[in-house]
Coordinates of all heavy atoms in Angstrom, one line a residue:
Chain M
Y187 N 161.4 85.6 -0.7 CA 162.1 85.3 -1.9 C 161.3 85.8 -3.1 O 161.8 86.5 -4.0 CB 162.3 83.8 -2.0 CG 163.2 83.3 -3.1 CD1 164.5 83.0 -2.9 CD2 162.7 83.2 -4.4 CE1 165.4 82.6 -3.9 CE2 163.6 82.8 -5.5 CZ 164.9 82.4 -5.2 OH 165.7 82.0 -6.2
E188 N 160.0 85.5 -3.1 CA 159.1 85.9 -4.2 C 159.1 87.5 -4.3 O 159.0 88.0 -5.5 CB 157.7 85.4 -3.9 CG 157.0 85.0 -5.2 CD 155.7 84.2 -4.8 OE1 155.8 83.3 -4.0 OE2 154.6 84.6 -5.3
I189 N 159.1 88.2 -3.2 CA 159.1 89.6 -3.3 C 160.4 90.3 -3.4 O 160.6 91.5 -3.4 CB 158.3 90.3 -2.2 CG1 159.0 90.1 -0.8 CG2 156.9 89.6 -2.1 CD1 158.2 90.6 0.4
G190 N 161.5 89.5 -3.5 CA 162.8 90.0 -3.7 C 163.4 90.6 -2.4 O 164.2 91.6 -2.5
A191 N 163.1 90.1 -1.3 CA 163.6 90.7 0.0 C 164.7 89.9 0.6 O 165.1 90.1 1.7 CB 162.4 90.8 1.0
V192 N 165.2 88.9 -0.1 CA 166.3 88.1 0.3 C 167.4 88.1 -0.8 O 167.0 88.1 -2.0 CB 166.0 86.7 0.8 CG1 165.1 86.7 2.0 CG2 165.3 85.9 -0.4
A193 N 168.6 88.1 -0.5 CA 169.7 88.3 -1.4 C 169.8 87.1 -2.4 O 170.3 87.2 -3.5 CB 171.0 88.5 -0.8
E194 N 169.2 85.9 -2.0 CA 169.3 84.8 -2.9 C 168.3 84.9 -4.1 O 168.5 84.2 -5.1 CB 168.9 83.5 -2.2 CG 169.9 83.1 -1.1 CD 169.7 83.7 0.3 OE1 169.0 84.7 0.3 OE2 170.2 83.1 1.3
A195 N 167.3 85.8 -4.0 CA 166.4 86.0 -5.1 C 167.1 86.6 -6.3 O 168.0 87.4 -6.2 CB 165.2 86.8 -4.7
P196 N 166.7 86.2 -7.5 CA 167.4 86.7 -8.7 C 167.3 88.2 -8.8 O 168.3 88.9 -9.2 CB 166.6 86.0 -9.9 CG 165.5 85.2 -9.3 CD 165.7 85.1 -7.8
V197 N 166.2 88.8 -8.5 CA 166.0 90.2 -8.4 C 165.7 90.6 -7.0 O 164.7 90.1 -6.4 CB 164.9 90.7 -9.4 CG1 164.8 92.2 -9.4 CG2 165.1 90.2 -10.8
H198 N 166.4 91.5 -6.4 CA 166.2 91.8 -5.0 C 166.6 93.3 -4.7 O 167.4 93.9 -5.4 CB 166.9 90.8 -4.1 CG 168.4 90.8 -4.4 ND1 169.0 89.8 -5.1 CD2 169.4 91.6 -4.0 CE1 170.3 90.0 -5.2 NE2 170.6 91.1 -4.5
R199 N 166.1 93.8 -3.6 CA 166.5 95.1 -3.0 C 166.2 95.1 -1.5 O 165.3 94.4 -1.1 CB 165.8 96.2 -3.7 CG 164.3 96.2 -3.5 CD 163.7 97.5 -4.1 NE 162.2 97.4 -3.9 CZ 161.6 97.7 -2.8 NH1 162.3 98.2 -1.7 NH2 160.3 97.6 -2.7
D200 N 166.9 95.9 -0.7 CA 166.7 96.0 0.7 C 166.6 94.6 1.3 O 165.5 94.3 2.0 CB 165.5 96.8 1.0 CG 165.6 98.2 0.4 OD1 166.7 98.7 0.3 OD2 164.5 98.8 0.1
V201 N 167.6 93.8 1.2 CA 167.4 92.4 1.6 C 167.5 92.2 3.1 O 168.1 93.0 3.8 CB 168.5 91.5 0.9 CG1 168.3 91.5 -0.6 CG2 169.9 92.0 1.3
L202 N 166.9 91.2 3.6 CA 166.8 90.9 5.0 C 167.6 89.7 5.4 O 167.6 88.7 4.7 CB 165.4 90.6 5.4 CG 164.3 91.7 5.0 CD1 162.9 91.2 5.3 CD2 164.6 93.0 5.8
G203 N 168.3 89.7 6.5 CA 169.0 88.6 7.0 C 170.3 88.3 6.3 O 170.5 88.8 5.2
R204 N 171.1 87.5 6.9 CA 172.4 87.1 6.2 C 172.1 86.0 5.2 O 171.4 85.1 5.4 CB 173.3 86.6 7.3 CG 174.7 86.3 6.8 CD 175.5 86.0 8.1 NE 176.9 85.5 7.7 CZ 177.8 85.2 8.5 NH1 177.6 85.1 9.8 NH2 179.0 84.8 8.1
P205 N 172.6 86.2 4.0 CA 172.4 85.2 2.9 C 173.3 84.0 3.1 O 174.3 84.1 3.8 CB 172.7 85.9 1.6 CG 173.5 87.1 2.0 CD 173.3 87.4 3.4
M206 N 172.9 82.9 2.5 CA 173.7 81.7 2.5 C 174.0 81.3 1.1 O 173.4 81.9 0.1 CB 173.0 80.5 3.2 CG 172.8 80.7 4.7 SD 172.1 79.3 5.5 CE 173.6 78.3 5.8
A207 N 174.9 80.4 0.9 CA 175.2 79.9 -0.5 C 174.1 79.1 -1.1 O 173.3 78.6 -0.3 CB 176.5 79.1 -0.4
L208 N 174.0 79.1 -2.4 CA 173.0 78.3 -3.1 C 171.6 78.4 -2.5 O 171.2 79.6 -2.2 CB 173.4 76.8 -3.1 CG 174.8 76.4 -3.3 CD1 174.9 74.9 -3.5 CD2 175.4 77.1 -4.5
D209 N 170.9 77.3 -2.3 CA 169.6 77.4 -1.7 C 169.6 77.0 -0.2 O 168.7 76.5 0.3 CB 168.6 76.6 -2.5 CG 169.0 75.1 -2.6 OD1 170.2 74.8 -2.2 OD2 168.3 74.3 -3.1
H210 N 170.8 77.2 0.4 CA 171.0 76.6 1.7 C 170.1 77.3 2.8 O 169.8 76.7 3.8 CB 172.4 76.6 2.1 CG 173.2 75.6 1.4 ND1 174.5 75.3 1.7 CD2 172.9 74.8 0.4 CE1 175.0 74.3 0.8 NE2 174.0 74.0 0.1
R211 N 169.8 78.6 2.5 CA 168.9 79.3 3.5 C 167.5 78.7 3.4 O 166.8 78.6 4.4 CB 168.9 80.8 3.3 CG 168.3 81.5 4.5 CD 168.8 82.9 4.8 NE 168.8 83.8 3.7 CZ 168.5 85.1 3.8 NH1 168.1 85.6 4.9 NH2 168.6 85.9 2.7
R212 N 167.1 78.2 2.2 CA 165.8 77.6 2.1 C 165.8 76.2 2.9 O 164.9 75.9 3.6 CB 165.5 77.3 0.6 CG 164.2 76.7 0.4 CD 164.0 76.5 -1.1 NE 164.1 77.7 -1.9 CZ 163.1 78.4 -2.3 NH1 161.9 78.0 -2.1 NH2 163.3 79.6 -2.9
I213 N 166.9 75.5 2.8 CA 167.0 74.2 3.5 C 167.0 74.5 5.0 O 166.4 73.8 5.7 CB 168.3 73.5 3.0 CG1 168.3 73.2 1.5 CG2 168.5 72.2 3.8 CD1 169.5 72.6 1.0
L214 N 167.7 75.5 5.4 CA 167.7 75.9 6.8 C 166.3 76.3 7.3 O 165.9 75.9 8.4 CB 168.7 77.0 7.1 CG 168.8 77.5 8.5 CD1 169.1 76.4 9.5 CD2 169.9 78.6 8.6
A215 N 165.6 77.0 6.5 CA 164.2 77.4 6.8 C 163.4 76.1 7.0 O 162.6 76.0 8.0 CB 163.6 78.3 5.8
T216 N 163.6 75.1 6.1 CA 162.9 73.9 6.2 C 163.2 73.2 7.6 O 162.3 72.7 8.3 CB 163.2 73.0 5.1 OG1 163.0 73.7 3.8 CG2 162.4 71.7 5.1
A217 N 164.5 73.2 7.9 CA 164.9 72.6 9.2 C 164.3 73.3 10.4 O 163.9 72.6 11.3 CB 166.4 72.6 9.2
I218 N 164.3 74.6 10.4 CA 163.8 75.3 11.6 C 162.3 75.0 11.7 O 161.9 74.8 12.8 CB 164.1 76.8 11.4 CG1 165.6 77.1 11.4 CG2 163.5 77.6 12.6 CD1 166.0 78.5 11.1
G219 N 161.6 75.1 10.6 CA 160.2 74.8 10.7 C 159.9 73.4 11.2 O 159.1 73.2 12.0
R220 N 160.8 72.5 10.7 CA 160.6 71.1 11.1 C 160.9 70.9 12.6 O 160.1 70.3 13.3 CB 161.5 70.2 10.3 CG 161.4 68.7 10.7 CD 160.2 68.0 10.2 NE 160.1 68.0 8.8 CZ 160.5 67.0 8.0 NH1 161.1 65.9 8.6 NH2 160.4 67.0 6.7
V221 N 162.0 71.5 13.1 CA 162.3 71.2 14.5 C 161.3 72.0 15.4 O 160.9 71.4 16.5 CB 163.8 71.6 14.8 CG1 164.0 73.1 14.9 CG2 164.2 71.0 16.1
R222 N 160.8 73.1 15.0 CA 159.8 73.8 15.8 C 158.5 73.0 15.9 O 157.9 73.0 16.9 CB 159.5 75.2 15.2 CG 160.6 76.2 15.5 CD 160.2 77.6 14.9 NE 161.1 78.6 15.4 CZ 161.0 79.9 15.1 NH1 160.1 80.3 14.3 NH2 161.9 80.8 15.6
A223 N 158.2 72.3 14.8 CA 157.0 71.5 14.8 C 157.2 70.2 15.7 O 156.4 69.8 16.5 CB 156.6 71.1 13.4
K224 N 158.4 69.7 15.5 CA 158.7 68.4 16.0 C 158.8 68.4 17.5 O 158.3 67.4 18.2 CB 160.0 67.9 15.5 CG 160.2 66.4 15.6 CD 160.0 65.7 14.3 CE 160.1 64.2 14.3 NZ 160.0 63.6 13.0
I225 N 159.4 69.4 18.1 CA 159.5 69.4 19.6 C 158.1 69.4 20.3 O 158.0 69.1 21.4 CB 160.3 70.6 20.1 CG1 159.7 71.9 19.6 CG2 161.7 70.5 19.7 CD1 160.3 73.1 20.3
K226 N 157.1 69.8 19.5 CA 155.7 69.8 20.1 C 155.1 68.4 20.2 O 154.2 68.3 21.0 CB 154.8 70.7 19.3 CG 155.2 72.2 19.5 CD 154.4 73.1 18.6 CE 155.1 74.5 18.6 NZ 154.9 75.2 17.3
Y227 N 155.6 67.4 19.5 CA 155.0 66.1 19.6 C 155.9 65.0 19.7 O 155.5 63.8 19.9 CB 154.0 65.9 18.4 CG 154.6 65.9 17.1 CD1 155.0 64.6 16.5 CD2 154.8 67.0 16.3 CE1 155.5 64.6 15.2 CE2 155.3 67.0 15.1 CZ 155.7 65.8 14.5 OH 156.3 65.7 13.3
R228 N 157.2 65.2 19.7 CA 158.2 64.2 19.9 C 159.3 64.7 20.9 O 159.6 65.9 20.8 CB 158.9 63.8 18.6 CG 158.1 63.1 17.5 CD 158.0 61.6 17.7 NE 156.8 61.3 18.4 CZ 156.4 60.1 18.8 NH1 157.2 59.1 18.6 NH2 155.3 59.9 19.4
P229 N 159.8 63.9 21.7 CA 160.7 64.5 22.8 C 162.1 64.7 22.2 O 163.1 64.4 22.9 CB 160.7 63.4 23.8 CG 160.3 62.1 23.1 CD 159.5 62.5 22.0
V230 N 162.3 65.3 21.0 CA 163.6 65.5 20.5 C 164.4 66.6 21.1 O 165.6 66.7 21.0 CB 163.5 65.8 18.9 CG1 163.1 64.6 18.2 CG2 162.6 67.0 18.7
I231 N 163.7 67.4 21.9 CA 164.4 68.5 22.6 C 165.5 68.0 23.5 O 166.6 68.6 23.6 CB 163.4 69.3 23.5 CG1 164.0 70.6 24.0 CG2 162.8 68.5 24.6 CD1 164.2 71.7 22.9
F232 N 165.4 66.7 24.0 CA 166.4 66.2 24.9 C 167.7 65.8 24.1 O 168.7 65.6 24.8 CB 165.8 65.0 25.6 CG 164.6 65.4 26.4 CD1 163.3 65.1 26.0 CD2 164.7 66.2 27.5 CE1 162.2 65.5 26.7 CE2 163.6 66.7 28.2 CZ 162.3 66.3 27.8
E233 N 167.6 65.7 22.8 CA 168.8 65.5 22.0 C 169.8 66.7 22.1 O 170.9 66.6 21.8 CB 168.5 65.3 20.5 CG 167.5 64.2 20.3 CD 168.1 62.8 20.4 OE1 169.3 62.7 20.4 OE2 167.3 61.9 20.6
L234 N 169.2 67.8 22.5 CA 170.0 69.1 22.6 C 170.4 69.4 24.0 O 171.0 70.5 24.2 CB 169.1 70.2 22.0 CG 168.7 70.1 20.5 CD1 167.6 71.0 20.2 CD2 169.9 70.4 19.7
L235 N 170.1 68.5 24.9 CA 170.4 68.8 26.3 C 171.3 67.7 26.9 O 171.3 66.5 26.4 CB 169.1 68.9 27.1 CG 168.3 70.1 26.9 CD1 166.9 69.9 27.4 CD2 168.9 71.3 27.6
P236 N 172.0 68.0 27.9 CA 172.8 66.9 28.6 C 171.8 66.0 29.3 O 170.6 66.4 29.5 CB 173.6 67.7 29.7 CG 173.0 69.0 29.8 CD 172.3 69.3 28.5
P237 N 172.2 64.8 29.8 CA 171.3 63.9 30.4 C 170.5 64.5 31.6 O 169.3 64.2 31.8 CB 172.2 62.7 30.8 CG 173.4 62.8 30.0 CD 173.6 64.3 29.7
S238 N 171.1 65.3 32.3 CA 170.4 66.0 33.4 C 170.5 67.5 33.3 O 171.5 68.0 32.9 CB 170.8 65.4 34.8 OG 171.7 66.3 35.4
F239 N 169.4 68.1 33.6 CA 169.3 69.6 33.3 C 168.2 70.2 34.3 O 167.4 69.4 34.9 CB 168.8 69.8 31.9 CG 167.7 68.8 31.5 CD1 166.4 69.1 31.9 CD2 167.9 67.6 30.9 CE1 165.3 68.2 31.6 CE2 166.9 66.7 30.6 CZ 165.6 67.0 31.0
T240 N 168.3 71.5 34.4 CA 167.2 72.1 35.2 C 166.1 72.5 34.3 O 166.2 72.5 33.1 CB 167.7 73.4 35.8 OG1 168.0 74.4 34.8 CG2 169.0 73.2 36.6
L241 N 164.9 72.7 34.9 CA 163.7 73.0 34.1 C 163.9 74.4 33.4 O 163.4 74.6 32.3 CB 162.5 73.1 35.0 CG 162.0 71.7 35.5 CD1 160.7 71.8 36.3 CD2 161.9 70.7 34.4
W242 N 164.7 75.2 34.0 CA 164.9 76.5 33.3 C 165.8 76.3 32.1 O 165.5 77.0 31.0 CB 165.5 77.5 34.3 CG 165.8 78.9 33.8 CD1 167.0 79.5 33.7 CD2 164.9 79.8 33.2 NE1 166.9 80.7 33.2 CE2 165.6 80.9 32.8 CE3 163.5 79.7 32.9 CZ2 165.0 82.0 32.2 CZ3 162.9 80.8 32.3 CH2 163.7 81.9 31.9
Q243 N 166.8 75.5 32.2 CA 167.6 75.1 31.0 C 166.7 74.6 29.9 O 166.9 75.0 28.7 CB 168.6 74.0 31.5 CG 170.0 74.3 31.2 CD 170.9 73.1 31.6 OE1 170.7 72.5 32.7 NE2 171.8 72.6 30.8
L244 N 165.9 73.6 30.3 CA 165.0 73.0 29.3 C 164.1 74.1 28.6 O 164.0 74.2 27.4 CB 164.1 72.0 30.0 CG 163.0 71.3 29.2 CD1 163.6 70.6 28.0 CD2 162.2 70.4 30.0
Q245 N 163.5 75.0 29.5 CA 162.6 76.0 28.9 C 163.4 76.9 28.0 O 162.9 77.3 26.9 CB 162.0 76.8 30.1 CG 161.0 77.9 29.5 CD 160.3 78.6 30.7 OE1 160.3 78.2 31.8 NE2 159.8 79.8 30.3
R246 N 164.6 77.3 28.4 CA 165.4 78.3 27.5 C 165.7 77.6 26.2 O 165.8 78.3 25.2 CB 166.6 78.7 28.3 CG 166.3 79.6 29.5 CD 166.9 80.9 29.4 NE 168.3 80.9 29.3 CZ 169.1 82.0 29.0 NH1 168.4 83.1 28.8 NH2 170.4 81.9 28.9
T247 N 166.0 76.3 26.2 CA 166.3 75.6 25.0 C 165.1 75.6 24.0 O 165.2 75.9 22.8 CB 166.8 74.2 25.3 OG1 167.9 74.3 26.2 CG2 167.3 73.5 24.0
V248 N 163.9 75.3 24.6 CA 162.7 75.3 23.8 C 162.4 76.7 23.3 O 162.1 76.9 22.1 CB 161.5 74.9 24.7 CG1 160.2 75.0 23.9 CG2 161.7 73.4 25.1
E249 N 162.6 77.7 24.1 CA 162.4 79.1 23.7 C 163.4 79.5 22.6 O 163.0 80.2 21.7 CB 162.5 80.1 24.9 CG 161.4 79.9 25.9 CD 161.6 80.8 27.1 OE1 162.8 81.2 27.4 OE2 160.6 81.1 27.8
A250 N 164.6 79.0 22.7 CA 165.6 79.4 21.7 C 165.2 78.8 20.3 O 165.2 79.5 19.3 CB 167.0 78.8 22.0
L251 N 164.7 77.6 20.3 CA 164.2 77.0 19.0 C 163.0 77.7 18.5 O 162.9 78.1 17.3 CB 164.0 75.5 19.2 CG 165.1 74.6 19.6 CD1 164.7 73.2 19.7 CD2 166.3 74.7 18.6
G252 N 162.0 77.9 19.4 CA 160.8 78.5 19.0 C 160.8 80.0 18.7 O 159.9 80.5 18.1
G253 N 161.8 80.6 19.2 CA 161.9 82.1 19.1 C 160.8 82.8 19.9 O 160.3 83.8 19.4
M254 N 160.4 82.2 21.0 CA 159.3 82.8 21.8 C 159.5 82.5 23.2 O 160.1 81.5 23.6 CB 158.0 82.4 21.3 CG 157.8 80.9 21.3 SD 156.1 80.4 21.0 CE 155.9 81.0 19.3

Side-chain angles (χ1 to χ4, degrees):
Chain M
Y187 188 99
E188 214 170 311
I189 67 183
V192 295
E194 291 90 338
V197 184
H198 58 258
R199 63 173 180 82
D200 302 332
V201 296
L202 305 172
R204 186 170 175 184
M206 294 184 83
L208 316 189
D209 55 355
H210 287 187
R211 196 150 51 140
R212 181 180 305 258
I213 300 174
L214 178 55
T216 307
I218 297 174
R220 177 75 64 90
V221 75
R222 282 181 171 183
K224 200 107 186 183
I225 56 169
K226 290 172 192 152
Y227 63 94
R228 296 272 98 185
V230 290
I231 190 74
F232 303 105
E233 305 287 342
L234 296 164
L235 287 164
S238 95
F239 44 81
T240 66
L241 293 185
W242 180 238
Q243 232 183 314
L244 174 61
Q245 181 178 340
R246 293 240 301 169
T247 305
V248 174
E249 290 177 338
L251 298 181
M254 56 170 62

